[in-house]
Amino acid sequence: MQKIFTFLTLLIGCTILAQKPQKPNAVELYHQIEKLNFLGSVLYVAAHPDDENTRLISYLSNEKNARTGYLSLTRGDGGQNLIGPELRELLGVIRTQELIEARKIDGGEQLFSRANDFGFSKNPDETLQIWDKNQVLSDVIWAIRKFQPDVIINRFDHRSPGTTHGHHTSSAMLSLEAFDKTNDASVFPDQLKYAKTWQPKRIFFNTSWWFYGSKEKFDAADKTNLSKLQTGVYYKQFGKSNQEIAALSRSCHQSQGFGNTGTRGEEDEYLEFLKGESLKDKTNLFEGIDTTWNRVKNGKEIGTILENVQKNFDFKNPSASISELVKAFDLIQKLDDNHWKTIKSEEIKKIIAGCAGLYLEAVADNQEVASGSTVKVKLEAINRSNQKMNWNAVNTVPNSFTTLSTTELPNNKLVNKTIDLQITDEVDYTNPYYLKESGTDGMYVVNNQENIGKPDVIRQIKVTFLIEIDGVTIPFDRNVVYKYNDDVKGEVYQPLDVVPAVTSSIQEKVYIFPNNKEKAVTVKIKAGKDAVSGTIQFEIPQNWTVSPTSIPFSIPKKGEEQLAVFNVTPSKEASEIVLKSIISVDGKTFDKEKININYPHIFKQMVLKSAEAKAIKLNIKTKSEKIAYVMGAGDEIPKSLTQMGYEVTILKPEDISTERLQNFDVVMTGIRAYNVVTTLGFKQNILLDFVKNGKTMIVQYNTLDEFVTKDIAPFPIKISRDRVTEENAEVRFLAPNHPILNYPNKITQDDFKGWKQEQGLYYPSEWDKNFTPIISSNDKGEKPKDGAILVAKHGKGHYIYTGISFFRELPEGVAGAFRLLSNMIAIGK
């Protein structure tokens, strides 16, 4: 029978994928059966979310039917965020979910290591030192032993250190080293309690013209060692090309601004053979590998049954295949090969449910439930086929509640049951498992070996429906979810989250104390269940004082909030402390802040962090400037400016006018504003006139992406990729007498200590003689970078362009960054 492909996910995109369960149609079911009959796998390896080649992943998964995984060594924590203010681990949570949604579209599976994306790295030596090479190598080998790929494909070249991101090169180097070691039982032997050694057949590098410098050079290159795959497939039954599928997958990376337009027509991907068993037929990556059911002992009979299911599949009546599928499922349970047994059991269960129109769901009556509470769960089961089946029982996890009454599931008759689930104190709070313990700059901590690499939040509350078909009992697992009807969006699904009985959050994450005066610090208390009462206090060093020492609270209803206000007085000397909120309820202590991350293109996420803020007694002088802040791609600098004592107004780009700007002393643009705020292109003359008339404009970094105007400054300036990634790199003063280094604060080398992740990025490499460079620094072994702060007199005012990463430093409470920025704001005073 002619191959038929379809992808429900392509019809609806990331936003809906993140909400609704899949309900496959007949053509999708046929495609799943094709994949069920293919026992081969490929692992694609790179460093970050958005590094993956979605064209190749889609081709391997949907044209070749291979089980295709993407191992991203990091979760993208060190990147930037175009859709909101989240950075670091919160951005990693977003990008993790974006990858999960992308795989739903291109058909791949997602894996990770424990490596933390600590930011841009210029060489693999630095990367592997900060990451802890041995741990990450262990994770790569663990991924290979668990996934058991026949073929590994690296996104990057292991032989070109220094030509790309150090994380990129490191991912390829580790993958190649793992290829040689993963079949050695003496390498990371503790893993063998949970997995077996494995040897992939071959490993490739997914090269392209980009790695050659130009298309012309690539066209002229010797391709003797390259395999060429024709990936420009057109899926007739769906009406989309492989490239269009890949573009939809790529477009899930919304936080990185990677919306992608699909293409059509012929397209090739090239793979350079690196190691293993070479190919005679360079178009067949699985040459020499039995990818049929004969691959596994006692698999022949299963293969015969499933070949007939595929051959005789009735698109008008998929349920006609159920009995044969159930026979195959029963035989799969008797296999000795646990690897393929586990994978194919899950695949065939989905197909059986789809062919029967069997819909099983467990819906809680609340989206959040506190430990120690009871939640009502509505169970729904409906069989929309003529296949006879019984609902024998339901098991719940983690408290192993079982119902044993058998219920017949006749065609299209909805059966509902409601059960009470007790959420014991032993159930973990919902939280990304890799964030539960404090890690290092380069590594997350995951002590449970079996959890390493899992992509998603590990949700403990599940229901297993035991469905009997033709005398075979099949367990169907479902996470307990919450759903509601939105008047605009319709049916909305969200995960069930287990929350603390009470959480708190300090209103600001950084408090600046420029003198000895006390400041009011507000804490928001939120109830995770009904009738919560207790006391809240601050954990604070003895040289600081807080009044009152504790505040009682009582919140009658779950979800309601109450504010508590403390007066904090700093130490007399300069110091930095952590303010920590501690709540006592019935003898128990609660110290977590609950952060919700809710974007329409990903599943709602909850993150629990320590309820704390940084308080800084800072020797800083500020003036009383009024600042207009024009947001760019998203940052939290306005909050920091307010903490410094400035009067800050978020100014919408469309509101920029000569009259409106008369109320301000300084205009400051957010990060990447000239890349993403189109309106600025029409307002630039007004802004430059603002400077010319005696005011100050501070423009923060922009990337090399297309600018909304070519005249981002009053004088010529050329943005480059120059950056200083070593946050402790020596800073040299090029203009030591310039006001920015002297007024109102004397800037010294100490002000550049304790910086986070990097000093700055996308520095200008060329500028007009009217600009004065203020500081210089560089990473080890590189030439000085002088474009971090450029100041030009324009008319009566001052224009400042800076690549300094204030968007990272201020929210982290880096004292020197506050002092430096206050001087920039005060220039001309």
Side-chain angles (χ1 to χ4, degrees):
M1 179 178 287
Q2 181 185 2
K3 278 190 173 184
I4 298 178
F5 305 89
T6 190
F7 313 95
L8 169 68
T9 54
L10 299 178
L11 293 170
I12 51 184
C14 298
T15 298
I16 304 302
L17 281 176
Q19 298 174 355
K20 297 183 184 298
Q22 295 185 24
K23 302 169 187 175
N25 60 38
V27 187
E28 292 164 343
L29 290 169
Y30 181 80
H31 182 52
Q32 291 177 15
I33 293 169
E34 288 183 307
K35 292 178 72 68
L36 183 65
N37 279 328
F38 190 92
L39 279 70
S41 55
V42 180
L43 184 63
Y44 198 87
V45 181
H48 310 107
D50 72 48
D51 281 346
E52 80 275 28
N53 184 340
T54 55
R55 297 182 303 278
L56 190 53
I57 290 175
S58 175
Y59 171 80
L60 293 169
S61 176
N62 299 311
E63 169 68 7
K64 296 303 181 183
N65 295 319
R67 183 183 181 222
T68 308
Y70 173 43
L71 172 59
S72 174
L73 296 192
T74 77
R75 296 175 185 264
D77 327 74
Q80 291 136 47
N81 186 358
L82 285 180
I83 61 174
E86 296 88 356
L87 292 174
R88 295 301 307 142
E89 67 272 18
L90 297 183
L91 176 57
V93 169
I94 292 172
R95 298 186 74 182
T96 292
Q97 293 301 312
E98 289 177 337
L99 274 178
I100 291 171
E101 296 305 320
R103 298 294 80 78
K104 291 177 185 177
I105 290 177
D106 59 35
E109 299 178 34
Q110 190 58 51
L111 301 85
F112 291 98
S113 81
R114 290 171 292 175
N116 189 337
D117 179 3
F118 57 84
F120 193 89
S121 176
K122 293 181 178 178
N123 63 76
D125 291 338
E126 177 196 43
T127 296
L128 295 174
Q129 182 179 8
I130 296 176
W131 270 357
D132 186 329
K133 177 191 172 183
N134 196 57
Q135 283 191 37
V136 185
L137 176 63
S138 168
D139 291 356
V140 176
I141 289 176
W142 170 250
I144 294 171
R145 287 172 174 174
K146 290 289 288 183
F147 196 82
Q148 295 188 15
D150 299 305
V151 177
I152 295 176
I153 301 175
N154 290 342
R155 183 67 180 112
F156 298 103
D157 190 353
H158 64 286
R159 299 157 297 195
S160 56
T163 61
T164 182
H165 199 317
H167 298 182
H168 293 168
T169 310
S170 296
S171 71
M173 293 168 62
L174 291 168
S175 177
L176 201 66
E177 185 174 349
F179 182 86
D180 291 334
K181 294 181 176 180
T182 186
N183 202 32
D184 186 342
S186 68
V187 176
F188 305 117
D190 289 347
Q191 294 181 1
L192 302 182
K193 299 174 186 175
Y194 314 101
K196 66 178 184 180
T197 57
W198 180 255
Q199 183 57 57
K201 197 80 166 179
R202 49 188 67 97
I203 185 170
F204 297 91
F205 159 46
N206 181 198
T207 190
S208 70
W209 68 264
W210 189 88
F211 293 96
Y212 286 73
S214 70
K215 291 182 179 180
E216 291 75 19
K217 289 181 180 179
F218 183 65
D219 290 340
D222 179 9
K223 299 183 179 61
T224 304
N225 196 36
L226 303 185
S227 293
K228 183 171 79 169
L229 305 179
Q230 296 178 344
T231 57
V233 179
Y234 174 61
Y235 300 112
K236 296 178 181 178
Q237 257 58 34
F238 188 71
K240 275 189 169 55
S241 68
N242 187 66
Q243 301 98 308
E244 289 170 317
I245 295 168
L248 288 168
S249 172
R250 184 76 169 164
S251 296
C252 287
H253 297 295
Q254 292 185 18
S255 68
Q256 304 307 294
F258 281 152
N260 202 264
T261 299
T263 60
R264 290 146 293 280
E266 294 181 352
E267 185 172 84
D268 300 322
E269 287 289 339
Y270 290 88
L271 303 180
E272 179 185 352
F273 174 76
L274 298 178
K275 279 187 177 182
E277 192 173 303
S278 61
L279 293 175
K280 295 180 181 178
D281 177 4
K282 292 186 178 181
T283 65
N284 181 12
L285 301 187
F286 295 96
E287 184 179 82
I289 302 167
D290 189 349
T291 57
T292 71
W293 277 97
N294 293 330
R295 180 173 190 162
V296 296
K297 183 180 178 182
N298 300 322
K300 183 176 181 179
E301 184 179 357
I302 300 169
T304 300
I305 293 172
L306 293 178
E307 284 173 11
N308 287 328
V309 168
Q310 183 175 334
K311 181 179 178 181
N312 300 315
F313 186 76
D314 186 346
F315 288 88
K316 292 184 177 180
N317 182 24
S319 64
S321 299
I322 294 174
S323 290
E324 292 300 293
L325 287 166
V326 170
K327 287 180 185 177
F329 171 82
D330 196 34
L331 290 172
I332 290 172
Q333 306 319 297
K334 300 171 184 177
L335 292 175
D336 294 330
D337 188 322
N338 285 326
H339 175 72
W340 286 113
K341 174 182 175 180
T342 300
I343 293 168
K344 295 304 179 180
S345 290
E346 290 306 309
E347 289 182 8
I348 200 169
K349 283 195 291 184
K350 291 177 181 178
I351 295 170
I352 291 170
C355 287
L358 177 62
Y359 188 80
L360 305 170
E361 189 172 74
V363 179
D365 61 353
N366 276 285
Q367 195 269 313
E368 295 181 351
V369 58
S371 293
S373 301
T374 298
V375 61
K376 286 191 177 298
V377 178
K378 181 180 178 181
L379 306 177
E380 176 183 325
I382 185 168
N383 164 30
R384 290 168 287 187
S385 73
N386 290 320
Q387 174 70 47
K388 290 185 178 181
M389 62 180 70
N390 292 324
W391 179 5
N392 282 351
V394 60
N395 294 334
T396 63
V397 177
N399 54 359
S400 299
F401 169 80
T402 305
T403 62
L404 298 174
S405 59
T406 298
T407 302
E408 185 180 356
L409 295 178
N411 185 9
N412 212 30
K413 297 290 185 181
L414 181 64
V415 178
N416 287 323
K417 297 182 181 181
T418 300
I419 60 175
D420 290 329
L421 280 185
Q422 180 68 34
I423 311 301
T424 64
D425 289 337
E426 286 71 35
V427 178
D428 290 338
Y429 300 138
T430 301
N431 206 26
Y433 68 93
Y434 56 92
L435 294 180
K436 289 184 178 180
E437 297 188 41
S438 297
T440 65
D441 287 343
M443 299 298 298
Y444 285 118
V445 174
V446 182
N447 292 317
N448 184 335
Q449 178 67 52
E450 292 182 284
N451 287 344
I452 292 173
K454 289 184 177 180
D456 210 349
V457 174
I458 299 172
R459 299 191 180 275
Q460 296 177 279
I461 305 176
K462 301 175 183 290
V463 169
T464 301
F465 294 81
L466 300 178
I467 306 297
E468 182 186 349
I469 306 174
D470 291 347
V472 177
T473 299
I474 305 175
F476 293 92
D477 296 332
R478 297 291 185 269
N479 285 336
V480 178
V481 297
Y482 172 73
K483 70 176 181 179
Y484 65 94
N485 185 74
D486 182 274
D487 289 343
V488 175
K489 300 176 183 176
E491 189 177 50
V492 176
Y493 281 78
Q494 291 182 338
L496 175 66
D497 290 331
V498 180
V499 301
V502 62
T503 56
S504 64
S505 59
I506 303 175
Q507 192 172 50
E508 303 292 342
K509 295 310 171 193
V510 178
Y511 286 88
I512 301 297
F513 292 80
N515 49 47
N516 295 327
K517 293 181 180 179
E518 68 178 25
K519 271 194 174 186
V521 177
T522 301
V523 187
K524 181 170 64 179
I525 307 165
K526 185 171 184 178
K529 65 178 184 178
D530 291 342
V532 178
S533 60
T535 60
I536 181 170
Q537 64 186 56
F538 271 161
E539 187 177 270
I540 194 167
Q542 290 183 351
N543 57 341
W544 289 58
T545 59
V546 60
S547 175
T549 55
S550 67
I551 298 175
F553 70 90
S554 180
I555 305 177
K557 292 292 184 181
K558 172 184 174 180
E560 290 185 350
E561 299 174 348
Q562 185 173 315
L563 299 179
V565 180
F566 294 90
N567 293 312
V568 176
T569 304
S571 60
K572 293 182 180 179
E573 66 283 354
S575 62
E576 297 183 9
I577 67 165
V578 173
L579 292 171
K580 189 168 184 179
S581 171
I582 307 291
I583 294 177
S584 297
V585 176
D586 297 331
K588 294 182 179 179
T589 298
F590 298 89
D591 62 356
K592 298 298 183 186
E593 173 185 7
K594 182 168 74 71
I595 300 169
N596 287 325
I597 299 176
N598 203 356
Y599 292 99
H601 69 299
I602 60 174
F603 222 30
K604 176 181 176 291
Q605 299 296 297
M606 185 183 90
V607 179
L608 294 175
K609 297 179 67 177
S610 180
E612 59 185 40
K614 182 177 283 189
I616 307 173
K617 172 62 185 305
L618 181 61
N619 292 325
I620 185 173
K621 297 175 182 177
T622 59
K623 299 299 178 181
S624 56
E625 290 86 359
K626 294 181 180 180
I627 301 174
Y629 199 91
V630 181
M631 296 299 295
D635 59 59
E636 296 194 321
I637 289 179
K639 291 184 179 180
S640 299
L641 294 171
T642 301
Q643 276 294 315
M644 295 167 72
Y646 297 111
E647 183 179 331
V648 183
T649 300
I650 304 294
L651 187 61
K652 294 180 179 179
E654 57 269 25
D655 293 338
I656 295 173
S657 67
T658 302
E659 294 73 25
R660 188 79 169 88
L661 293 181
Q662 287 178 354
N663 299 318
F664 301 103
D665 303 294
V666 178
V667 170
M668 191 169 182
T669 60
I671 60 174
R672 301 179 71 170
Y674 284 94
N675 299 132
V676 300
V677 184
T678 304
T679 307
L680 279 180
F682 305 104
K683 301 290 186 176
Q684 188 68 352
N685 288 338
I686 297 173
L687 292 169
L688 294 181
D689 283 344
F690 171 80
V691 177
K692 189 183 294 184
N693 291 329
K695 304 298 181 70
T696 298
M697 184 176 183
I698 301 172
V699 176
Q700 295 183 84
Y701 91 94
N702 293 271
T703 68
L704 294 178
D705 294 337
E706 186 175 345
F707 294 102
V708 299
T709 173
K710 62 183 180 65
D711 298 318
I712 65 171
F715 308 105
I717 189 172
K718 184 178 180 180
I719 309 301
S720 73
R721 296 186 185 277
D722 287 352
R723 62 174 75 206
V724 177
T725 63
E726 296 171 13
E727 60 271 19
N728 58 352
E730 177 193 4
V731 175
R732 299 171 292 276
F733 295 163
L734 300 176
N737 296 322
H738 196 280
I740 281 183
L741 296 177
N742 293 279
Y743 182 82
N745 305 286
K746 180 68 176 178
I747 303 299
T748 70
Q749 296 294 336
D750 287 343
D751 287 300
F752 293 93
K753 294 180 179 178
W755 285 51
K756 305 296 182 182
Q757 185 167 324
E758 62 198 356
Q759 282 187 6
L761 63 171
Y762 292 99
Y763 291 169
S765 58
E766 298 177 19
W767 50 85
D768 186 87
K769 63 180 181 180
N770 284 288
F771 283 104
T772 299
I774 304 300
I775 62 174
S776 176
S777 63
N778 54 271
D779 292 327
K780 290 183 180 68
E782 294 192 352
K783 294 180 180 179
K785 306 292 189 297
D786 298 345
I789 304 173
L790 300 177
V791 186
K793 196 81 166 56
H794 181 53
K796 299 176 183 178
H798 294 81
Y799 175 96
I800 302 174
Y801 188 94
T802 180
I804 294 291
S805 60
F806 289 112
F807 74 105
R808 295 195 192 280
E809 311 311 323
L810 300 187
E812 291 284 351
V814 176
F818 281 96
R819 286 165 47 83
L820 180 60
L821 182 57
S822 69
N823 282 15
M824 293 166 64
I825 291 169
I827 192 170
K829 301 296 182 182

